[in-house]
Amino acid sequence: MLTLLEAGNPSAASFFRFQAFTTAVVQEQRIRNRLKEAIDENLTKGEGYREFKKLVDDEFDKAGITRLHNHQINNIYETNVSLAFGAGQMQKMLEVADEYPYWKYSATLDSKTRPSHAALHGKIFKTGDFTFFPPIGFRCRCTAIPLTARQAAHYLKTDMPTPQDKNKLYNLLESKEFAGNKQQKFMEWAAEQYKNADPETRKLIDQAFDTMRQEIQKLRDDEPSFIPKELLEDSEYLKNTNIKFKEEFFRMVNQEKPVKLLIEKRGRGSYYNPQDKTVHIVNSERNQASNWHRESVIYHEFGHAIDWQRNLRNSTKIRKLMEHWQKELMKHDSDGLPQIAHLSKKIDNIGWRINDMEETTFIRLGITKADVLEQIGSTLDTIKALTITYGRGHATAYFQQPGFRETEFIAHCFENKFIGNRVFQKYLPELYQAMCEFIEGQQKG
């Protein structure tokens, strides 16, 4: 039985084949299958409508079936190709959403352009908002142009429709069935077709899905990975863990200035050396006790490397962010002490109490005692980076060195963004969110 959810997000090439196969208006199964192949061949070779029509005519002649009318063939060709390219572009845009968080609707604007499409020209939408993603009608020639956050900022606020504006634009559409997430709609339609299909057709659709899944997996296998081989799932460092490092993090490392990784069994601790551009990781008992630390120390130390590559510690953004939160944390309560003094003491006391608790208490929460203690330590170290007087972790003398408070704060930003910290998020939620947003801003460039 076909499970649609197992299909994943089809690549553009896979979507071409599957879309053409399942939407062809011809009901004779062998001909429908050949139409699928014809469209695929046509797209692959970059041929046009004339070559496609000849292929279709030849197949009908061989089968002894009356040829389709020109307008029927044209409908199949135009609809399948435009929807396939639209869905393929949609998928590609999702893959690069970090770099291009917005897109602009672009209409042709000539005598053939429908008023409803012209009304959308120049409108800006967030990536993921695909209500009006072209094509939005039969033979639609409109396109979507990806935009960086910086490019989108140059447009007027009125270019980004409000929910009320979107409703008005939606009501203008002549073909509402084209609107919305094309892949999702198509999958829902395919599920209904499968439900009502005869056994032979179901078998063909199953085969089409299997082919698509294989193609998607091959694309993923062939895609270059920036994760160091020492940190892949079958590596010695990750043995007996379920840790999977995030590709998006390692894509932030400048590949033209590679960072080496050295994993050692003994040493003076994990650190990044900017002189030889090497991350040194000690795979000690601390890692054996806490998988959270085993993972977070990688994001932390490679975070230092990214900081050095981009000179983040000297950026205006990090200076303003830290100054803001230093002022917030050092605001006094009615008793004359900074708010952070009470919170730092509270978090520290929780850590001491946890030492006396049974491990089973934490297992029920899906975490280990060592993981919680590590997260407490990371939270307190961030507090110390901001205030020096409160929190604990690195020595005061360490933080008194120029730039060290900033670089340590940034490394904890990477931790919060890419692995998360329950303790930090619970007790300092607004600061936690601000740190994650800082990294997200770096991802978008």
Side-chain angles (χ1 to χ4, degrees), residues 13 21 24 81 92 139 238 313 352 367 371 399:
F21 172 78
V81 171
K92 194 64 183 175
R139 292 193 176 186
L238 298 183
R313 61 198 176 284
W352 287 108
I367 196 169
D371 287 341
F399 282 127

Side-chain angles (χ1 to χ4, degrees), residues 393-440:
H394 284 80
T396 301
Y398 172 87
F399 282 127
Q400 287 174 336
Q401 299 176 77
F404 279 43
R405 294 172 68 179
E406 290 81 4
T407 198
E408 200 62 30
F409 179 81
I410 291 167
H412 286 298
C413 287
F414 279 106
E415 284 183 22
N416 287 348
K417 170 60 182 174
F418 289 105
I419 183 174
N421 183 325
R422 292 191 194 182
V423 175
F424 204 124
Q425 193 169 17
K426 179 176 180 179
Y427 291 102
L428 289 161
E430 293 177 352
L431 173 57
Y432 180 90
Q433 182 62 32
M435 292 171 76
C436 290
E437 288 175 356
F438 171 74
I439 299 300
E440 288 165 8

Side-chain angles (χ1 to χ4, degrees), residues 300-430:
H300 188 102
E301 300 305 336
F302 270 93
H304 283 315
I306 296 169
D307 169 20
W308 275 87
Q309 286 184 343
R310 302 188 182 195
N311 196 26
L312 298 179
R313 61 198 176 284
N314 292 318
S315 69
T316 303
K317 283 186 178 179
I318 202 66
R319 177 177 56 79
K320 288 183 176 180
L321 178 63
M322 292 184 70
E323 285 177 356
H324 170 77
W325 282 100
Q326 285 161 354
K327 290 177 182 177
E328 287 295 313
L329 297 178
M330 295 301 287
K331 285 181 178 178
H332 286 63
D333 285 336
S334 56
D335 58 4
L337 284 174
Q339 296 174 8
I340 196 60
H342 300 291
L343 186 57
S344 177
K345 185 176 180 180
K346 180 177 181 178
I347 296 172
D348 203 14
N349 287 339
I350 290 171
W352 287 108
R353 290 201 302 271
I354 283 174
N355 276 315
D356 298 326
M357 295 173 68
E358 295 291 331
E359 184 67 44
T360 52
T361 303
F362 300 92
I363 293 174
R364 287 196 297 269
L365 299 173
I367 196 169
T368 68
K369 181 197 291 190
D371 287 341
V372 178
L373 291 173
E374 289 288 355
Q375 290 180 31
I376 286 173
S378 180
T379 305
L380 291 171
D381 191 52
T382 307
I383 291 172
K384 193 168 180 67
L386 283 168
T387 67
I388 291 188
T389 307
Y390 303 100
R392 60 174 166 80
H394 284 80
T396 301
Y398 172 87
F399 282 127
Q400 287 174 336
Q401 299 176 77
F404 279 43
R405 294 172 68 179
E406 290 81 4
T407 198
E408 200 62 30
F409 179 81
I410 291 167
H412 286 298
C413 287
F414 279 106
E415 284 183 22
N416 287 348
K417 170 60 182 174
F418 289 105
I419 183 174
N421 183 325
R422 292 191 194 182
V423 175
F424 204 124
Q425 193 169 17
K426 179 176 180 179
Y427 291 102
L428 289 161
E430 293 177 352

Side-chain angles (χ1 to χ4, degrees), residues 17-207:
R17 286 184 274 279
F18 189 71
Q19 175 95 349
F21 172 78
T22 51
T23 59
V25 297
V26 186
Q27 295 304 308
E28 206 284 321
Q29 290 173 4
R30 192 178 71 79
I31 298 298
R32 182 167 54 193
N33 198 37
R34 182 59 188 125
L35 281 175
K36 159 185 111 57
E37 295 170 0
I39 291 180
D40 177 30
E41 185 178 344
N42 182 274
L43 290 167
T44 302
K45 292 181 178 179
E47 296 174 338
Y49 168 70
R50 183 177 299 176
E51 291 82 1
F52 175 74
K53 181 181 183 304
K54 186 178 184 306
L55 280 170
V56 175
D57 285 344
D58 288 347
E59 286 302 314
F60 274 67
D61 290 344
K62 289 176 187 176
I65 300 173
T66 303
R67 287 183 178 185
L68 291 174
H69 292 296
N70 286 348
H71 76 273
Q72 289 177 303
I73 299 176
N74 197 270
N75 282 356
I76 295 170
Y77 183 77
E78 293 287 348
T79 304
N80 280 283
V81 171
S82 64
L83 283 175
F85 272 108
Q89 188 183 14
M90 226 165 80
Q91 174 59 25
K92 194 64 183 175
M93 199 171 285
L94 286 170
E95 292 171 6
V96 296
D98 288 339
E99 292 82 12
Y100 297 94
Y102 297 91
W103 64 275
K104 181 176 76 169
Y105 191 99
S106 179
T108 306
L109 295 182
D110 58 18
S111 59
K112 297 178 181 178
T113 305
R114 279 159 278 197
S116 59
H117 297 210
L120 283 160
H121 181 72
K123 299 299 182 187
I124 310 297
F125 301 92
K126 287 188 176 180
T127 297
D129 181 355
F130 295 126
T131 305
F132 301 105
F133 199 88
I136 54 168
F138 179 66
R139 292 193 176 186
C140 174
R141 297 167 297 152
C142 303
T143 57
I145 302 173
L147 299 175
T148 64
R150 187 174 297 174
Q151 289 171 328
H154 291 308
Y155 290 88
L156 299 173
K157 284 189 176 181
T158 51
D159 291 328
M160 189 173 288
T162 65
Q164 293 77 16
D165 294 333
K166 288 180 187 177
N167 287 335
K168 291 177 182 177
L169 291 166
Y170 181 82
N171 290 331
L172 290 174
L173 294 179
E174 297 87 352
S175 306
K176 292 183 172 56
E177 66 273 15
F178 277 83
N181 187 316
K182 290 167 179 56
Q183 290 182 0
Q184 181 182 344
K185 282 191 170 186
F186 188 79
M187 294 304 240
E188 291 170 354
W189 178 88
E192 186 63 27
Q193 295 297 309
Y194 186 87
K195 177 182 174 183
N196 299 322
D198 58 81
E200 187 176 352
T201 302
R202 283 191 178 188
K203 184 178 179 181
L204 288 170
I205 297 176
D206 282 340
Q207 290 171 354

